[in-house]
Amino acid sequence: MKFNVFITLIASVFLLFSCKSKKIVYTPKKKTSTHKTTPKKTPNTPKTVTKKPTSTPKSAPAVGTYTNKINNYIDTYSEIAMEQMREYKIPASITLAQGILESGAGSGDLTRRANNHFGIKCHDWKGAKVYHDDDRKQECFRKYSNASFSFQDHSLFLTGRKRYLGLFKLANDDYKGWAKGLQKAGYATDPKYPAKLINLIEKYKLYNYDASVLGKSKKDAKKVIGKSDQYTVKKGDTLYSIARKNKISVDQLKEFNGIENNTIHEGQTLYVKPLPKDF
């Protein structure tokens, strides 16, 4: 009997150890399977981050961007500037150069918000207004519904103030005299203002627009004709009356201006002296 108990006890111990050994063998199999299922793709994932900075930095704008803006500005507003010259006798070159300079070629904050191309402040203005930092913070500036009103108001601003009257004694194509005169009359406080205007006019050949209004060829566009050589047609004038005032014949007057008939109009500029031989 004791022998049977002993045998049973040994068998139980043997079974117990055999079960434990199976568990030990099974556990590492799970570990190996987990290693196999883990993908080793981590080295490839960060590469997408390094590809993003390939575009051109915003701090380095393309060369010629501002030049393109200026050319677009000239194309857009040159006709308006010439219209203002015909009506108010302000050189189109000066109007365009001031517009480019004051508005940042149309991209300035004041221009975008208020269609104000010439930096004209409120003064006695009764129209819409906008506030903008300039010489002082939040100064009052005129606001326009569109750009053409800004150009016209610029002409009215210059013709309606006594301090600018001296400019209208200059020839219509004397852009250098106008540039210097504007600064002297107080339009701008920057001592380099005349040089900036003249540089823009000569770089972009804005004097060609003055020449177009005055009937000059582009070849001779930069040559300034004296004010005394010109006459502005007034209401009631005829070719005969103008010729008589300037002590020339009607035929001479026609020849100087390339006129083939007797038609003239108020505001028209006529040459009353023969042009220089090299003109």
Side-chain angles (χ1 to χ4, degrees):
M1 187 72 176
K2 288 183 180 179
F3 178 77
N4 290 336
V5 173
F6 178 74
I7 293 297
T8 302
L9 182 62
I10 291 173
S12 299
V13 171
F14 178 79
L15 288 171
L16 181 63
F17 274 98
S18 66
C19 289
K20 283 184 179 180
S21 63
K22 284 181 182 179
K23 286 181 182 178
I24 292 168
V25 171
Y26 182 72
T27 304
K29 285 183 180 178
K30 284 186 178 180
K31 287 182 181 179
T32 55
S33 63
T34 55
H35 282 298
K36 287 180 181 178
T37 56
T38 304
K40 294 185 179 181
K41 294 182 180 180
T42 50
N44 296 326
T45 53
K47 287 185 180 180
T48 54
V49 178
T50 57
K51 290 180 182 179
K52 288 183 179 179
T54 54
S55 59
T56 306
K58 290 182 179 179
S59 58
V63 177
T65 300
Y66 190 61
T67 298
N68 291 339
K69 282 184 180 179
I70 291 176
N71 285 324
N72 289 336
Y73 188 93
I74 294 166
D75 290 342
T76 304
Y77 299 111
S78 57
E79 190 57 46
I80 298 175
M82 288 192 289
E83 287 175 8
Q84 296 302 308
M85 181 176 179
R86 292 184 190 103
E87 187 171 354
Y88 297 100
K89 310 306 175 190
I90 300 167
S93 59
I94 285 291
T95 300
L96 286 169
Q98 282 194 283
I100 292 166
L101 190 60
E102 298 287 347
S103 75
S107 63
D109 178 64
L110 184 62
T111 304
R112 287 185 286 105
R113 288 170 56 210
N115 278 314
N116 190 327
H117 285 247
F118 299 93
I120 299 179
K121 297 178 182 178
C122 289
H123 301 293
D124 54 352
W125 181 249
K126 294 180 181 179
K129 303 171 183 177
V130 69
Y131 294 88
H132 176 78
D133 292 348
D134 193 53
D135 296 329
R136 295 185 296 274
K137 287 187 177 181
Q138 293 299 289
E139 291 192 77
C140 183
F141 287 84
R142 302 181 183 192
K143 184 177 181 179
Y144 309 95
S145 58
N146 61 61
S148 61
F149 289 126
S150 178
F151 275 76
Q152 185 175 28
D153 194 43
H154 169 258
S155 298
L156 294 172
F157 185 83
L158 294 180
T159 55
R161 283 166 171 73
K162 290 182 179 179
R163 57 180 170 154
Y164 299 116
L165 289 180
L167 294 171
F168 295 90
K169 294 179 182 178
L170 299 169
N172 294 141
D173 52 1
D174 186 4
Y175 63 86
K176 291 183 179 179
W178 270 83
K180 294 171 184 176
L182 281 167
Q183 200 273 330
K184 286 181 181 178
Y187 192 97
T189 55
D190 183 1
K192 295 181 180 178
Y193 192 75
K196 290 177 180 178
L197 293 180
I198 293 168
N199 179 60
L200 283 169
I201 291 168
E202 296 187 342
K203 182 176 181 180
Y204 295 95
K205 299 181 180 179
L206 302 181
Y207 45 72
N208 284 332
Y209 298 103
D210 300 338
S212 179
V213 173
L214 296 173
K216 293 161 60 178
S217 67
K218 288 187 176 182
K219 176 185 174 183
D220 301 310
K222 289 186 73 174
K223 295 179 181 179
V224 176
I225 299 175
K227 191 77 171 178
S228 62
D229 295 342
Q230 302 174 21
Y231 178 84
T232 302
V233 178
K234 300 179 180 63
K235 188 177 181 179
D237 278 339
T238 64
L239 288 175
Y240 176 77
S241 66
I242 296 169
R244 188 175 179 182
K245 283 178 185 176
N246 293 278
K247 299 178 180 180
I248 56 175
S249 69
V250 173
D251 288 339
Q252 284 177 314
L253 184 59
K254 285 184 175 182
E255 183 185 348
F256 297 160
N257 294 278
I259 298 173
E260 296 180 356
N261 53 41
N262 295 325
T263 304
I264 55 174
H265 58 83
E266 186 178 352
Q268 183 178 353
T269 300
L270 297 176
Y271 300 116
V272 294
K273 291 183 181 180
L275 299 177
K277 290 181 180 180
D278 62 342
F279 186 77

